[in-house]
């Protein structure tokens, strides 16, 4: 089965072809098209038409799968994008105004350029629709937030689900209690506590800005800081947003760009304070996750910097080998399957087994 | 030396006239439920010469509460030799208690907006005291002082370093006077030196609330941050919130930060979530006899979210404190609501906590240990006495000055 995987970034479109039975990208490594190369007008149609000859040299496509960053509470799993799904998706525009319209445009472009090829939408938030009320609720006026989509989500559900499955495969003896901490090491890292097969805690918030600090994002902040910046610096919301999302996190702390992997694999002295801060935040979040699950069986690192788990894993497992843990011993490992592969695998499942949308 | 102590909480004004160094309480009391209306009326509980009077009187703010309290004290002919004020925020300027002079007052004004619910009413109290008792020495005791030991990696936000330095944005931590006091009491109760005490202290007030991680008798983290807004869900404060939300609110109000601040500080938390009361005890009670399904759900989500936030932070701090000896519950909710202690501590064997249901539901005197006999970590219920702690600090400063 031949699958085209598409992932939309804020300024790029990433794509990869998979021949599913080989479980490897076909011929070409994953590619990225930057916004600077986008055409005006039907940008995605033009881009996909450019890709078309490449695709025809391989074999006819059996499915296209698109990573959708946000699906609100409506989408609880991957779906085949039909008219009804697109209509539901459009209703989520106020919750993710930068992402949803682009996503809809991309789906429509796929349908135009590759007519008859099923398009699958795979939502990163779907795994977190089942978060308990007490975890996803916010401490603000309930009447202000009548929209059910205004709540906490996680934003790397596909990695977290895969990490939980990996834990079950690796350590079958944990299945009974199944208390897994999933540390997704992406540019905006995220930790989820998964009890059984459902998440019970996640570090992200209404947006991925809350939680652990990222490459350029601030993570958890006293909400009063946002207001103080407006007052002290006389900054407007856009300026504050720019600082919190583009100039903070590891960049703001280290003073230069650094990835999570570089940070934890480095022995440079100047980065020790940043390492200490990140490790501390990770430890705090893991403690919360353990309290949420009333225990811990395994830790799994995933994401593009999963291998940083080699350094973090032994340290974290020793710090979290608590009294009630499995024989005072916590399993840990890292899982480095790329997101493109995960998306392709999941698309095959959807196309073969679930012809209809899974929506609330 | 008789010290009059004022402890200005976000919804209460506690006061005590304490004779030092004997620590004898001459008179005292608490103005309760100041501010937004709750299910029960505002009142002052005044204790003097072994009697307690209850005075029901409307108190819309701390200034009016102060006036009512002073009337009661004057009637009892209570005249202090010095006044100690609980100051919530000392910023980076104050790391210990100080005698208030003009310069200190100006410095206090400079940090007043860091704790808009607490510092301004305490400043108003200082001014009112100056008018009523001119020439009487006044001392400021800071909630932030105990947290001066929080390490850099725990007090730093992931913001550009130059911006943080310029704006002095960092974690300060609050409720330090209470956390320090109950930690000392716990060390004494457990018969270990304070400098060897590892514990998590849960100060759960009817207004504000915070947890403190204590290692070697020193604060190493606190759930509140740059201001007392961060952390747990409180009576009217939101606690932790995605930074994108205040940003969005700023955008919607054309940058009116005062309006957004008022919503997050005064109309959120238990009051905002429940839409009924700022006091979690009211919501707990309402849950048990609520027949309206919509209201029940709203109240239940409020209670569960309130408890969940405490539990998650307790887990976080138990992960960073090495070999904790105890979890301490204190202040109004922590001392008097066993359901809260039970919900937070139950099924936390993983951290060595085993709470005893029978002991927990039958606390009659303090300090109380409500853990099972075999529990590696003790669960202690200790009455906070911030007023006594403030009187001690005030006495030390005045003796030193003299």
């Amino acid at each position: 089965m031949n699958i085209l995987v598409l992932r939309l970034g804020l300024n790029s479109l990433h794509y990869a072809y998979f021949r599913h039975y080989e479980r490897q990208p076909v011929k070409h490594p994953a590619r990225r098209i930057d916004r600077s190369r986008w055409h005006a007008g039907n940008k995605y149609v033009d881009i996909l038409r450019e890709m078309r000859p490449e695709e025809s040299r391989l074999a006819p496509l059996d499915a296209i799968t698109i990573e959708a960053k946000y699906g609100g509470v409506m989408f609880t799993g991957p779906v085949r994008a039909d008219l009804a799904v697109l209509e539901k998706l459009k209703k989520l525009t106020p919750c993710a105004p930068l992402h949803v319209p682009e996503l809809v445009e991309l789906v429509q472009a796929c349908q135009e350029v590759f007519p008859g090829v099923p398009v699958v939408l795979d939502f990163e938030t779907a795994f977190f629709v089942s978060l308990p009320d007490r975890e996803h609720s916010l401490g603000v006026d309930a009447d202000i937030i009548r929209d059910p989509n205004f709540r906490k989500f996680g934003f790397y559900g596909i990695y977290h689900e895969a990490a939980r499955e990996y834990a079950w495969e690796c350590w079958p003896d944990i299945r009974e209690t199944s208390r897994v901490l999933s540390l997704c090491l992406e540019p905006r890292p995220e930790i989820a506590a998964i009890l059984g097969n459902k998440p019970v805690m996640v570090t992200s918030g209404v947006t991925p800005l809350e939680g652990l600090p990222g490459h350029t994002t601030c993570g958890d902040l006293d909400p009063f800081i946002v207001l103080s910046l407006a007052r002290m610096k006389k900054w407007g919301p856009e300026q504050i947003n720019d600082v919190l999302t583009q100039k903070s996190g590891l960049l703001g702390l280290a003073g230069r760009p650094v990835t999570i992997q570089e940070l934890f694999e480095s022995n440079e002295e100047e980065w020790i304070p940043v390492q200490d801060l990140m490790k501390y935040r990770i430890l705090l979040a893991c403690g919360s996750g353990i309290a949420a699950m009333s225990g811990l069986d395994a830790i799994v690192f995933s994401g593009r910097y999963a291998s940083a788990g080699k350094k973090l894993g032994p340290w974290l497992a020793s710090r979290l080998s608590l009294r009630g843990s499995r024989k005072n011993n916590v399993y840990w490992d890292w899982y480095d399957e790329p997101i493109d592969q995960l998306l392709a695998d999941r698309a095959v499942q959807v196309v073969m087994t679930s012809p209809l949308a899974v929506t609330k | 030396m008789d010290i009059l102590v004022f402890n200005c909480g976000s919804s209460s004004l506690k006061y005590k006239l304490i004779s030092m160094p004997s620590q004898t309480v001459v008179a005292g009391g608490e103005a309760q439920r100041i501010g937004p209306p709750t299910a029960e009326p505002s009142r002052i509980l005044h204790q003097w010469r072994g009697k307690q009077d209850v005075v029901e009187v409307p108190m819309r703010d701390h200034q009016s509460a102060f006036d009512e309290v002073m009337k009661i004290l004057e009637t009892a002919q209570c005249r202090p030799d010095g006044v100690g004020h609980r100051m919530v925020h000392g910023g980076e300027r104050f790391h210990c208690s100080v005698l208030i002079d003009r310069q200190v007052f100006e410095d206090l004004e400079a940090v007043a907006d860091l704790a808009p619910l607490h510092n301004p009413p305490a400043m108003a109290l200082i001014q009112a005291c100056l008018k009523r008792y001119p020439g009487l020495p006044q001392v400021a005791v800071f909630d932030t002082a105990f947290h001066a030991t929080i390490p850099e990696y725990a007090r730093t936000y992931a913001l550009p370093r130059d911006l943080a330095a310029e704006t002095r944005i960092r974690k300060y931590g609050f409720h330090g006077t209470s956390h320090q006091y109950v930690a000392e009491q716990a060390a004494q109760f457990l018969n270990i030196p304070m400098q060897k005490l590892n514990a998590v202290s849960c100060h759960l007030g009817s207004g504000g609330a915070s947890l403190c991680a204590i290692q070697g008798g020193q604060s190493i983290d606190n759930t509140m941050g740059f201001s007392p807004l961060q952390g747990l869900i409180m009576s009217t404060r939101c606690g932790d919130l995605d930074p994108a939300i205040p940003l969005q609110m700023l955008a919607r109000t054309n940058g009116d930060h005062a309006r957004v601040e008022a919503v997050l500080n005064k109309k959120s938390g238990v009051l905002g979530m429940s839409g009924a009361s700022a006091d979690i005890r009211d919501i707990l009670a309402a849950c048990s006899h609520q027949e309206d399904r919509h209201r029940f759900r709203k109240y239940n989500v409020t209670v569960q979210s309130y408890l969940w936030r405490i539990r998650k932070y307790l887990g976080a701090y138990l992960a960073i404190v090495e070999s904790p000896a105890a979890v301490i519950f204190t202040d109004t909710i922590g001392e008097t609501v066993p359901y809260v202690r039970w919900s937070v501590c139950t099924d936390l064997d993983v951290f060595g906590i085993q709470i005893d249901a029978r002991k927990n539901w039958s606390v009659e005197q303090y300090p109380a240990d409500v853990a099972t006999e075999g529990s590696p970590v003790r669960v202690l219920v200790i009455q906070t006495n911030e007023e006594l702690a403030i009187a001690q600090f005030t006495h030390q400063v005045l003796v030193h000055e003299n």
Side-chain angles (χ1 to χ4, degrees):
Chain A
M1 191 175 269
N2 298 316
I3 310 282
L4 169 62
V5 175
L6 296 172
R7 290 192 289 122
L8 259 179
L10 209 55
N11 294 305
S12 63
L13 176 67
H14 168 109
Y15 68 98
Y17 291 106
F18 282 83
R19 203 168 266 155
H20 186 66
Y21 57 83
E22 289 173 355
R23 298 195 81 250
Q24 287 294 324
V26 177
K27 271 188 178 178
H28 308 280
R31 289 187 184 181
R32 181 185 145 109
I33 300 172
D34 290 326
R35 185 178 279 272
S36 57
R37 285 186 48 209
W38 289 1
H39 310 279
N42 295 328
K43 56 179 183 282
Y44 296 126
V45 170
D46 294 340
I47 290 168
L48 293 171
R49 279 199 179 125
E50 280 179 22
M51 290 158 56
R52 184 89 215 221
E54 204 175 317
E55 176 261 334
S56 61
R57 279 201 302 276
L58 302 167
L61 279 179
D62 296 297
I64 300 168
T65 185
I66 304 174
E67 180 198 37
K69 299 281 186 197
Y70 182 80
V73 293
M74 225 180 295
F75 296 99
T76 57
V79 296
R80 285 178 65 156
D82 56 19
L83 274 177
V85 164
L86 283 185
E87 283 312 305
K88 283 181 179 171
L89 193 58
K90 284 176 191 169
K91 288 180 185 161
L92 293 174
T93 301
C95 300
L98 295 179
H99 182 63
V100 170
E102 296 289 324
L103 190 60
V104 171
E105 194 184 330
L106 180 59
V107 172
Q108 287 168 335
C110 288
Q111 289 167 337
E112 186 180 330
V113 178
F114 301 101
V117 178
V119 178
V120 174
L121 282 169
D122 205 345
F123 297 91
E124 291 284 9
T125 48
F127 184 53
F128 292 97
V129 172
S130 64
L131 270 179
D133 287 346
R134 60 191 180 187
E135 173 63 14
H136 73 66
S137 298
L138 311 172
V140 292
D141 188 341
D143 289 333
I144 294 177
I145 48 170
R146 282 191 184 137
D147 183 343
N149 294 299
F150 191 79
R151 45 157 274 180
K152 266 179 80 125
F153 283 100
F155 295 90
Y156 293 101
I158 295 168
Y159 270 129
H160 291 303
E161 264 191 282
R164 195 270 301 154
E165 281 168 22
Y166 181 72
W168 282 15
E169 273 173 36
C170 288
W171 311 295
D173 57 321
I174 71 163
R175 283 186 181 217
E176 196 180 321
T177 46
S178 188
R179 299 165 297 193
V180 176
L181 278 175
S182 167
L183 283 76
C184 180
L185 301 180
E186 282 281 300
R188 290 178 173 186
E190 183 178 88
I191 297 179
I194 307 167
L195 183 61
N197 56 10
K198 291 200 187 294
V200 291
M201 187 231 66
V202 67
T203 50
S204 291
V206 177
T207 72
L209 189 54
E210 191 178 5
L212 298 170
H215 286 177
T216 62
T217 50
C218 62
D220 292 334
L221 273 193
D222 184 332
F224 190 67
I225 290 173
V226 174
L227 309 178
S228 298
L229 288 175
R231 195 186 63 242
M232 291 192 273
K233 302 289 291 180
K234 311 266 184 261
W235 284 347
E238 281 177 18
Q239 274 174 296
I240 300 172
N241 184 53
D242 185 52
V243 170
L244 302 189
T245 59
Q246 304 299 322
K247 295 173 182 164
S248 295
L250 302 187
L251 173 65
L253 291 166
R256 60 188 163 109
V258 53
T259 67
I260 287 177
Q261 191 157 359
E262 287 163 346
L263 179 72
F264 286 116
E265 288 177 358
S266 165
N267 292 320
E268 286 185 52
E269 206 163 298
E270 61 170 321
W271 282 355
I272 290 174
V274 189
Q275 283 176 349
D276 288 347
L277 183 147
M278 278 302 287
K279 284 163 83 176
Y280 183 71
R281 295 283 188 94
I282 288 170
L283 189 57
L284 283 176
C286 289
S288 290
I290 293 169
M293 298 186 291
S294 296
L296 175 65
D297 297 314
I299 302 167
V300 180
F301 297 89
S302 64
R304 74 187 81 168
Y305 306 116
S307 62
K310 280 184 264 184
K311 279 266 174 120
L312 280 171
W315 169 78
L316 203 51
S318 70
R319 290 299 303 259
L320 298 176
S321 287
L322 302 156
R323 290 179 176 90
S325 301
R326 171 169 304 276
K327 295 172 189 164
N328 290 339
N329 185 22
V330 175
Y331 294 125
W332 72 273
D333 201 353
W334 75 92
Y335 172 77
D336 54 5
E337 195 85 86
I339 187 71
D340 292 333
Q341 181 72 63
L342 293 174
L343 286 161
D345 290 351
R346 289 161 64 100
V348 171
Q349 293 287 321
V350 173
V351 173
M352 292 181 71
T353 62
S354 166
L356 294 173
V358 184
T359 60
K360 259 190 182 175
Chain B
M1 186 187 285
D2 286 348
I3 309 284
L4 176 59
V5 174
F6 280 119
N7 178 358
C8 207
S10 54
S11 65
S12 66
L13 175 62
K14 293 178 185 168
Y15 61 95
K16 255 182 200 165
L17 188 66
I18 302 174
S19 189
M20 295 297 289
S22 67
Q23 303 186 0
T24 311
V25 178
V26 180
E30 182 178 2
Q32 296 179 334
R33 297 182 185 246
I34 301 168
T38 63
E40 291 178 37
S42 301
R43 65 197 164 208
I44 297 173
L45 307 180
H46 178 71
Q47 289 119 22
W48 186 53
R49 290 185 179 168
K51 288 190 305 182
Q52 177 167 288
D53 297 324
V54 180
V55 182
E56 286 191 6
V57 57
M59 292 175 286
R60 68 180 188 288
D61 54 25
H62 285 79
Q63 182 73 44
S64 56
F66 169 76
D67 289 337
E68 297 301 330
V69 167
M70 292 315 291
K71 276 185 211 166
I72 294 172
L73 284 174
E74 278 172 6
T75 309
Q77 294 187 320
C78 293
R79 296 192 193 286
D81 301 303
V83 181
H85 294 274
R86 173 200 179 204
M87 293 299 299
V88 164
H89 211 312
E92 288 190 316
R93 161 80 172 78
F94 300 105
H95 288 163
C96 59
S97 309
V98 290
L99 186 67
I100 299 169
D101 58 18
R102 182 153 296 282
Q103 183 58 52
V104 166
F105 194 81
E106 280 174 16
D107 289 346
L108 286 173
E109 279 181 321
V111 296
D113 59 347
L114 291 177
L117 274 185
H118 298 85
N119 273 23
M123 301 284 290
L125 281 188
I126 291 170
Q127 280 190 314
C129 279
L130 278 170
K131 273 187 195 166
R132 221 173 260 269
Y133 302 104
L136 190 67
Q138 296 191 62
V139 172
V141 179
F142 299 94
D143 263 8
T144 44
F146 182 55
H147 302 300
T149 48
I150 293 178
E152 188 179 347
Y153 56 78
R155 68 168 190 250
T156 303
Y157 291 104
L159 294 169
R161 284 205 184 265
D162 51 352
L163 176 68
E166 179 198 337
T167 52
R168 292 181 296 176
I169 289 176
R170 46 159 281 190
K171 173 175 278 209
Y172 289 99
F174 299 89
H175 290 145
T177 313
S178 173
H179 288 302
Q180 186 175 5
Y181 179 83
V182 296
E184 283 167 358
Q185 296 295 308
Q188 210 173 329
F189 183 79
L190 297 171
N191 200 23
I192 51 178
M194 176 67 172
Q195 62 268 28
K196 288 194 175 168
L197 180 76
N198 299 339
V200 179
S201 162
C202 310
H203 175 107
L204 307 178
S206 55
S210 75
L211 265 59
C212 179
I214 297 165
Q215 183 84 41
Q218 296 187 325
S219 168
I220 57 165
D221 208 346
N222 180 245
T223 53
M224 289 177 166
F226 174 61
S227 78
L229 186 57
Q230 194 177 359
L232 303 175
I233 292 172
M234 290 166 265
S235 63
T236 61
R237 277 172 267 172
C238 59
D240 292 339
L241 200 61
D242 188 324
I245 295 174
L247 262 178
Q248 200 180 58
M249 292 168 84
L250 273 179
R252 280 185 190 168
T253 57
N254 292 320
D256 188 345
H257 52 81
R259 200 166 133 203
V260 178
E261 184 188 309
V263 170
L264 299 182
N265 257 322
K266 295 182 178 173
K267 295 179 182 171
S268 299
V270 173
L271 178 66
M273 293 182 82
S274 70
S277 170
D279 195 312
I280 193 68
R281 289 168 295 182
D282 295 340
I283 307 305
L284 276 166
C287 263
S288 60
H289 60 258
Q290 187 53 246
E291 286 173 9
D292 179 304
R293 273 184 65 189
H294 173 69
R295 277 195 193 149
F296 173 78
R297 186 178 141 66
K298 209 168 165 181
Y299 295 170
N300 192 44
V301 168
T302 305
V303 168
Q304 294 310 319
S305 306
Y306 171 91
L307 296 168
W308 190 242
R309 193 80 65 89
I310 301 170
R311 184 181 171 93
K312 284 202 302 175
Y313 265 117
L314 180 58
Y317 284 178
L318 287 167
I320 60 162
V321 171
E322 290 168 23
S323 306
V327 174
I328 307 161
F329 286 92
T330 192
D331 209 16
T332 313
I333 307 298
E335 292 162 22
T336 65
V337 188
Y339 177 74
V340 169
R341 296 193 296 265
W342 176 257
S343 305
V344 167
C345 289
T346 196
D347 290 332
L348 283 187
D349 286 26
V350 65
F351 292 111
I353 296 175
Q354 291 157 14
I355 189 165
D356 184 309
R358 189 186 53 78
K359 288 182 191 170
N360 182 52
W361 289 88
S362 56
V363 172
E364 285 174 354
Q365 59 180 27
Y366 306 99
D369 184 346
V370 299
T372 61
E373 278 196 13
S375 176
V377 177
R378 309 315 301 168
V379 181
L380 305 180
V381 187
I382 295 178
Q383 272 189 313
T384 191
N385 196 337
E386 287 170 285
E387 294 76 25
L388 178 58
I390 294 166
Q392 287 169 337
F393 285 125
T394 305
H395 184 245
Q396 281 168 18
V397 170
L398 295 181
V399 167
H400 183 259
E401 287 294 323
N402 287 334

